[in-house]
């Protein structure tokens, strides 16, 4: 039978029709509810990880004061890292924003597999619960570092080797199942459920970023799953996938022939695309934030799409830049340094285009625009420090120092968080019908932006000095002067400051829910489809009786000859409207 | 390592190819609904979803196979020098694949043929009975395959030469187990469809019938895919 | 707001530059020939610094110039192909500028020069050991299964080439100035990493294979070695030192180190003869080596229990006292330096140790009270070296704690945690194991924490 697009078969698609409170808000198959469930759970996990990071910083900054043992310290380090990367960032960008925005921006009523979408959230929640259980298991959670390298991850000298590591690996496997279910939804919806007129090149960059990130995830997470399964087997039944013949704590092991480097290859084959799974949605979202609030199309849309795709594709061939000093065949260093520095080029193009979007724009410094500008600054910094580490020889003195920590926090922690907050404030009026409180949001911005820079700028410098990472204490190390310890104190204080600043965020969100100004359907005057829904917040099914029809690309801002400074995507072509720039 | 690189290149190319063609357009110049250039794929959503899922499954098997080859490479003492050779003489000990694997392969091929026949009969109202028969046969043959796989494991274990400390045995079990698990997943879907088919379609609504037919068709795709995976796995195991 | 934002951006750019140039936290003084690495870093800083300044200043400019004002409109420009090509080329050149020297230097790093002197560093939780190939210039084979308290590096006695391997007795490596050094790296348990910041190069140690790094020391001095790959809870306490000597001093030092054959030829102790050797020790340590607890404030005549303690640990402490690596820092331990000299001859020492090994091992009477629950939490860390039951572990260089004199444990913890290096046990530059306890000991932040953990140890069988 001939294929007819879902958009044109709207009358055939039977959405789940919830009646009870439980069906509408708990076992919901509505992508918007699922998005909020994902978002809430991810943020809750993030708060836990933030608290863990404070404990770490207290030990590093003030080693004589707080009762933190090395055993616990490494548990904090591990859980902080794993929760932030996977359970907060990946879940929030893809499960949260992906779920909320994709159907709305594509003009669909919902994801194409709503039941599986619902399942994906509950399985994600299960993964979170399993991970949290490891805090209470005998021996506590694993202290192997978020990278979980064997043999130490499954050896007696590491914290949590009885239950912690097994629960961690199990939780990751469950997460991967959840992610796959969600990811199949996002990809299929983008490919199959766009409304009439919505070609791929008319999609906003938010969708492109999330779409390519999802493809990366679907292809990269299996490597983590494979590594996790093999490590679980090594731990539980003494196989030798990663374990060579060892003498652990004076006892010879039964294992032989395994390779710890094999794990690293598998882990980073996943791990590098993972950072782009976090970064690409951020890139897409920030493009839309900048464009909307600058009243100007994103500069070089085609190049931006190309760059997203190129970065996604290249992200699969750079992984061993995490392994320059791993003992792998050193000749690989030439190859991976080259590919890594090549990937800098499309990334730089994106940065130029963001800034060029501001150039000759009509910049409204609403709350989301503050965060978007903060993103540019922090991402430039973080991206540039990546060039140091990607260049294999420069990585030699800097690897495993605080320089690395500074770099990856800037590019994974600070700049994506800038985007997350900007995006939350930006879409808040659509999700709730209220405007976010500008005063509180502005305070939140300045505290976070300045505070995080105060944390991470100096950190790079003590890294250059040679201060190593993952150290519980430094003792009387000659090459580390007392001033470096003072820097650590200052960083800790800045970290506490930033953590407190997040309280302002929660106050703002909840306060605005009750007392925020009513927002109207399109307070930012944006062109993209999600702002054109008949109801705000959008009801189940999103579009009322008729799906939208798209007549133009996503960035018709300040079109010459038009009296408004924006034309929504679903506005028909007016007679006499010229095709500009043809 | 190179296996992973090859995989990576393939992924990179897939991603690039799907998208690259689009980049010629200048979307700000094109106004109107652009009927016909919807560039949606000419398949239904469940089919696209299945193919996306098969992409994920491909990824997991290629990574496993890549890890397998890397492990073989590293067991031969890749970069070890004479300075350290804890049991250096134990290189890769290849498995002697039990003969039952050939029988299992034939079973799986028959299952694919059966399910393809079911697929063939799915579009006509008259062939429903035969569709049901072949569909059921496919499932039973697959179950026989799985039993055969377990027998193969036991046969190897019983020789006493292999156990968890043998990399080749560990990988053999792991690879076949993962493949088997995917088959079991398929059987879960199969059993729901088969159960529905058994209850008879005479009184079913048109929509339900269409959904069932699609289910049979998708199952067929999945089965052929898993057969392909098995053939690749089998070839890899036989040659190492 | 836009003006504020722009000003802040400009201030941040300027501030970052000022911070960079004024920062005292920069590379350590380089002590090897790898200055090309430093040059590459400098080039990278320049290129990245220029980009950082230009992009952010341009952003600040846009923020001010194009801020919304009544009547102001944005310019409609979907793309500028020429500009994008230009920027792509410009960026590619910048990237190539940084990559080129990096790859050249990497080529140098990958190829070890001919005639480089080979040394092996063995890393294991949480210690370093070193080995030279000896006269024949060939390292003997090793086998993890051969490791034992008497053969900690696991050199295979069956391999003739290993007999003349030089086993460095203290975990401190000496190297000759100006000599290309090919440092082979081997681990027997988990991943480690051998790093000397002043040397600029580093490399992981991977169990099951041998990795390497190479460098040429150019500055005489003593440098700290750090482990830089998370290897368990003791990772931060896995330290060593490298001493770069003149060529003559190095030769002298190397000559003084035993060969593997010599370490295997340690005299066998005779317990009967050991009774006499041990006589001088009984006054403080008790006739059965059971220890004599201090009474009140008295600090004389109170030696800890020796019976039941690991022989390798007792041997090491006697040697430490003889060489004054331990003792001078504390008036109570000073007499031990003289007492240890009564066992100056290796045979006498082995005899005494053999005798101690025959003494009855009754648990010492506990004298310290504390919160054993809290102590158990604290002990989670200690137990990773000293054993879950406090039984000690030769592989971790950790002595037995359970059933030994608890007042002595307390005193040693106090000694390890002294703020003043002159009064601290482990501060002698050659006492790496003591220094390790200093690093770990600081996890006990209060006196009551010490009591708690000792009270818990007292409960161990």
């Amino acid at each position: 039978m001939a294929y007819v697009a879902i958009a044109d078969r709207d009358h055939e698609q039977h959405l789940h029709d919830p009646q009870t409170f439980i069906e509408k808000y708990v076992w919901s198959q509505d992508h918007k509810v699922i998005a909020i469930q994902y978002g809430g759970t991810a943020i809750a996990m993030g708060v836990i990880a933030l608290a863990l990071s404070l404990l770490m910083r207290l030990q590093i900054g003030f080693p004589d004061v707080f009762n933190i043992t090395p055993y616990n310290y490494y548990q904090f380090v591990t859980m902080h890292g794993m929760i932030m990367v996977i359970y907060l960032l990946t879940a929030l960008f893809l499960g949260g924003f992906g779920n909320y925005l994709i159907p709305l921006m594509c003009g669909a009523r919902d994801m194409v597999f709503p039941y599986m979408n619902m399942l994906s959230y509950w399985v994600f929640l299960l993964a979170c619960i399993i991970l949290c259980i490891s805090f209470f298991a005998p021996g506590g959670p694993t202290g192997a570092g978020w990278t979980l390298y064997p043999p130490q991850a499954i050896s007696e000298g590491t914290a949590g080797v009885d239950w912690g590591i097994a629960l961690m690996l199990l939780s990751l496997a469950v997460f991967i199942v959840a992610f796959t279910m969600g990811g199949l939804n996002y990809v299929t919806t983008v490919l199959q459920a766009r409304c009439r007129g919505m070609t791929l090149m008319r999609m906003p960059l938010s969708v492109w970023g999330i779409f390519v990130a999802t493809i990366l995830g679907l292809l990269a997470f299996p490597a983590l799953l494979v590594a996790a399964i093999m490590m679980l087997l090594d731990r539980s039944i003494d196989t030798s996938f990663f374990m060579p013949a060892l003498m652990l704590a004076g006892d010879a092991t039964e294992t032989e022939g395994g390779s710890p480097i094999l794990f690293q290859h598998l882990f980073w084959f996943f791990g590098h695309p993972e950072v782009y799974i976090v970064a690409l949605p951020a890139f897409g979202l920030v493009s839309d934030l900048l464009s909307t609030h600058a009243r100007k199309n994103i500069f070089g849309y085609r190049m931006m799409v190309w760059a997203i795709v190129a970065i996604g594709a290249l992200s699969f061939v750079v992984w061993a830049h995490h392994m320059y000093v791993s003992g792998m065949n050193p000749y690989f260093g030439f190859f991976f340094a080259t590919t890594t520095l090549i990937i800098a080029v499309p990334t730089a193009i994106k940065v130029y285009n963001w800034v060029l979007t501001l150039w000759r724009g009509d910049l409204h410094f609403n709350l989301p625009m503050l965060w978007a500008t903060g993103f540019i600054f922090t991402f430039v910094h973080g991206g540039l420090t990546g060039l140091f580490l990607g260049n294999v020889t420069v990585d030699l003195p800097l690897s495993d120092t605080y320089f690395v920590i500074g770099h990856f926090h800037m590019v994974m922690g600070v700049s994506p968080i800038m985007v997350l907050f900007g995006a939350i404030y930006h879409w808040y009026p659509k999700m709730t019908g209220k405007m976010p409180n500008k005063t509180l949001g502005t305070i939140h911005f300045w505290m976070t932006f300045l505070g995080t820079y105060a944390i991470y700028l100096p950190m790079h410098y003590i890294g250059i000095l040679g201060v190593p990472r993952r150290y519980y204490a430094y003792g009387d190390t000659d090459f580390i002067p007392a001033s470096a310890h003072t820097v650590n104190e200052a960083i800790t204080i800045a970290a506490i400051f930033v953590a407190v600043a997040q309280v302002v965020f929660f106050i703002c969100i909840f306060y605005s829910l009750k007392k925020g100004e009513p927002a109207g359907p399109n307070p930012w005057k944006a062109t993209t489809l999600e702002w054109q829904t008949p109801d705000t917040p959008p009801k189940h099914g999103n579009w009322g009786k008729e799906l939208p029809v798209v007549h133009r690309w996503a960035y018709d801002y300040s079109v010459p000859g038009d009296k408004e400074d924006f034309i929504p995507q679903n506005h028909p072509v007016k007679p006499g409207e010229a095709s500009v720039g043809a | 390592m190179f296996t992973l690189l090859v995989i990576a290149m393939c992924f990179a190319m897939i991603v690039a190819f799907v998208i690259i063609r689009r980049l010629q357009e200048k979307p700000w110049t094109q106004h109107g609904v652009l009927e016909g250039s919807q560039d949606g794929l000419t398949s239904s959503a469940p089919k696209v979803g299945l193919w996306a899922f098969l992409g994920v499954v491909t990824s997991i098997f290629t990574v496993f196979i890549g890890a397998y080859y890397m492990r073989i490479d590293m067991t031969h003492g890749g970069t070890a020098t004479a300075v350290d050779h804890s049991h250096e003489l134990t290189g890769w000990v290849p498995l002697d694949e039990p003969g039952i694997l050939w029988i299992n392969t034939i079973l799986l091929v028959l299952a694919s043929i059966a399910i393809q026949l079911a697929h063939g009969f799915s579009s006509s109202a008259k062939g429903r009975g035969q569709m049901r028969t072949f569909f059921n046969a496919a499932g039973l043959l697959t179950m026989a395959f799985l039993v055969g796989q377990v027998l193969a494991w036991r046969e190897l274990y019983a020789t006493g030469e292999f156990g968890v400390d043998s990399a080749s045995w560990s990988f053999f079990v792991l690879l076949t187990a993962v493949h088997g698990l995917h088959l079991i997943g398929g059987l879960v879907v199969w059993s729901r469809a088969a159960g529905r088919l058994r209850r008879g379609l005479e009184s079913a609504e048109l929509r339900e019938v269409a959904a069932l037919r699609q289910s049979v068709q998708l199952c067929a795709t999945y089965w052929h895919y898993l057969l392909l995976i098995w053939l690749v796995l089998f070839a890899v195991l036989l040659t190492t | 707001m836009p003006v504020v934002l722009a000003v802040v951006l400009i201030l941040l750019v300027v501030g970052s530059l000022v911070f960079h140039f004024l920062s005292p936290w920069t590379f350590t003084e380089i002590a090897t020939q790898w200055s090309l690495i430093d040059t590459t870093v400098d080039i990278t800083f320049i290129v990245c610094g220029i980009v950082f300044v230009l992009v952010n200043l341009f952003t600040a400019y846009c923020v001010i110039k194009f801020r919304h004002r009544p009547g102001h409109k944005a310019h409609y420009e979907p793309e500028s192909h020429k500009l994008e090509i230009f920027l792509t080329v410009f960026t590619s050149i910048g990237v190539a500028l940084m990559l080129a020297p990096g790859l050249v230097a990497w080529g140098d790093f990958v190829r070890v020069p001919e005639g480089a002197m080979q040394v092996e560093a063995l890393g294991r939780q949480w210690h370093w050991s070193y080995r030279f190939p000896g006269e024949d210039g060939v390292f003997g084979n090793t086998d993890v299964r051969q490791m034992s308290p008497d053969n900690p590096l696991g050199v295979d006695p069956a391999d003739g080439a290993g007999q003349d391997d030089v086993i460095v007795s203290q975990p401190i490596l000496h190297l000759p100035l100006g000599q290309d050094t090919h440092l082979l790296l081997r681990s027997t348990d988990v991943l480690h990493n051998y790093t000397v910041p002043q040397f600029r190069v580093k490399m992981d140690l991977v169990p099951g294979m041998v990795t390497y790094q190479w460098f040429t020391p150019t500055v005489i001095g003593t440098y700290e070695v750090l482990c830089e790959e998370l290897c368990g809870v003791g990772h931060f306490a896995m330290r060593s030192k490298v001493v770069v000597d003149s060529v003559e001093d190095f030769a002298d030092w190397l000559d003084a180190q035993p060969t593997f054959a010599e370490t295997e030829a340690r005299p066998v102790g005779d317990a009967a003869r050991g009774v006499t050797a041990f006589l001088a020790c009984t006054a403080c340590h008790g006739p059965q080596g059971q220890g004599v607890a201090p009474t009140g404030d008295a600090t004389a005549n109170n030696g800890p229990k020796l019976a039941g303690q690991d022989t390798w640990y007792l041997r090491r402490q006697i040697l430490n006292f003889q060489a004054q690596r331990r003792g001078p820092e504390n008036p109570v331990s000073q007499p031990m330096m003289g007492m240890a000299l009564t066992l100056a001859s290796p045979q006498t020492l082995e005899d005494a140790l053999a005798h101690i090994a025959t003494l009855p091992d009754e648990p010492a009477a506990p004298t310290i009270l504390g919160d054993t629950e809290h102590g158990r939490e604290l002990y989670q860390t200690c137990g990773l070296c000293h054993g879950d039951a406090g039984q000690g572990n030769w592989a971790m260089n950790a002595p037995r704690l359970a059933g030994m004199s608890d007042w002595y444990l307390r005193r040693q913890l106090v000694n390890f945690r002294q703020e003043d290096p002159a009064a601290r046990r482990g501060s002698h530059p050659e006492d790496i194991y003591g220094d390790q306890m200093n690093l770990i000991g600081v996890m006990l932040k209060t006196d009551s924490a010490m009591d708690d953990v000792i009270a818990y140890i007292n409960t161990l069988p």
Side-chain angles (χ1 to χ4, degrees), chain A residues 291-315:
Chain A
S291 174
T292 306
H293 296 281
R295 316 310 294 155
K296 184 163 180 276
N297 61 273
I298 191 74
F299 189 84
Y301 173 78
R302 288 196 294 169
M303 205 65 153
M304 291 299 246
V305 172
W306 174 89
I308 288 179
V309 171
I311 292 171
L314 282 170
S315 74

Side-chain angles (χ1 to χ4, degrees), chain C residues 13-24:
Chain C
V13 169
V14 171
S16 305
L17 285 174
V18 167
F19 189 96
H20 175 82
F21 286 108
L22 289 186
S23 158

Side-chain angles (χ1 to χ4, degrees), chain A residues 179-201:
Chain A
F179 180 90
T180 306
M181 290 197 281
L184 291 176
N185 255 308
Y186 315 150
V187 159
T188 313
T189 305
V190 169
L191 290 176
Q192 291 303 97
R194 283 167 282 129
C195 63
R196 278 176 66 211
M198 179 61 88
T199 63
L200 284 176
M201 292 301 276

Side-chain angles (χ1 to χ4, degrees), chain C residues 320-385:
Chain C
N320 277 349
F321 280 121
Q322 288 176 354
Q324 303 198 359
R325 283 188 285 266
R326 185 184 162 189
E329 75 280 357
N330 191 306
V332 178
S333 48
Q334 276 163 9
M336 264 310 295
M337 295 191 285
M339 294 308 297
L341 289 173
T342 67
L343 302 171
S345 119
Q347 182 67 60
T348 321
L349 173 54
E350 294 307 317
D351 291 342
L353 291 172
H355 171 67
I356 294 173
T358 66
L359 294 171
D361 178 14
E362 296 290 327
T367 64
I368 292 181
L369 300 170
D371 174 359
T372 54
E373 261 312 297
H374 183 225
R376 190 164 57 82
E377 275 172 35
L378 293 170
Y379 192 74
Q380 252 183 341
T381 303
C382 320
L384 295 175
C385 280

Side-chain angles (χ1 to χ4, degrees), chain A residues 65-109:
Chain A
V65 179
F66 296 95
N67 250 325
I68 295 168
T69 65
Y71 191 90
N72 291 143
Y73 178 78
Y74 288 111
Q75 292 174 315
F76 300 157
V77 166
T78 308
M79 297 301 274
H80 163 76
M82 189 64 84
I83 292 177
M84 286 300 200
V85 174
I86 307 271
Y87 298 83
L88 171 66
L89 289 171
T90 310
L92 187 49
F93 272 119
L94 266 59
F97 282 98
N99 260 311
Y100 197 87
L101 293 175
I102 290 179
L104 285 171
M105 284 181 160
C106 291
R109 293 203 177 280

Side-chain angles (χ1 to χ4, degrees), chain B residues 9-229:
Chain B
M9 301 283 200
C10 291
F11 288 164
M13 287 193 313
I14 295 171
V15 170
F17 182 71
V18 172
I19 315 296
I20 286 291
R21 277 191 300 143
R22 306 290 158 237
L23 295 176
Q24 309 304 325
E25 306 160 17
K26 290 190 190 180
W28 52 91
T29 62
Q30 302 159 329
H31 291 142
V33 183
L34 303 183
E35 305 281 12
S37 70
Q38 184 62 10
D39 68 26
L41 306 167
T42 53
S43 318
S44 64
K47 193 150 187 197
V48 170
L50 177 65
W51 280 100
F53 180 62
L54 293 184
V56 180
V57 177
T58 308
S59 176
I60 201 174
F61 278 105
T62 36
V63 173
F64 264 123
I65 292 174
Y68 180 68
Y69 279 118
M70 280 200 276
R71 180 67 166 76
I72 295 177
D73 196 39
M74 288 161 174
T75 316
H76 282 307
T79 42
T81 72
V83 192
D84 178 80
H85 66 157
S86 305
H87 299 242
E88 68 162 346
L89 296 176
T90 58
W92 177 259
V93 179
L95 275 187
D96 234 343
E97 281 76 19
I100 196 172
L101 287 181
W102 290 97
I103 301 180
N104 293 346
T105 308
I106 294 174
L107 286 173
L108 203 60
V109 170
L110 288 176
S112 260
I113 294 175
I115 206 166
Q116 183 61 27
L117 288 170
H119 180 309
F121 283 115
S122 67
S123 6
S124 70
K126 285 201 295 245
R128 264 191 226 148
Q130 281 140 309
M131 170 174 85
R132 197 160 56 216
T133 315
F134 283 114
F135 193 68
N136 291 336
L140 293 169
L141 286 164
T142 308
M143 290 186 227
F145 169 87
L146 288 170
V147 170
Q149 296 289 76
V150 174
L151 289 176
W153 296 348
R154 294 179 56 165
E155 189 178 318
L156 277 174
Y157 194 71
T159 63
E161 282 163 39
F162 303 103
V164 288
D165 56 339
S166 156
S168 49
W169 186 83
S170 308
F171 260 106
F172 174 78
V173 173
L174 187 56
L175 291 171
T176 50
V178 174
H179 176 256
L181 280 171
H182 281 85
L183 273 178
I184 290 176
L187 280 174
V188 168
V189 176
W190 170 88
S191 65
R192 281 174 33 182
R196 186 64 196 83
L197 278 175
R198 210 153 55 85
R199 289 201 291 281
L201 291 176
E202 293 71 27
S203 55
E205 292 176 18
L206 269 173
R207 196 162 50 92
E208 204 182 347
V209 172
L212 262 178
R213 287 217 301 256
Q214 182 174 68
S215 193
V216 169
Q217 287 158 6
L218 291 176
C219 278
T221 309
Y222 190 65
W223 248 255
H224 298 328
Y225 178 79
L226 283 181
L227 171 66
L228 176 65
I229 294 280

Side-chain angles (χ1 to χ4, degrees), chain A residues 59 63 302 393 399 453 478, chain C residues 16 78-79 91 102 202 224 445:
Chain A
Q59 168 58 30
R302 288 196 294 169
T393 329
S399 178
Y453 199 59
D478 286 338
Chain C
S16 305
E79 70 176 14
T91 309
K202 65 180 67 151
E224 286 147 323
K445 323 260 173 147

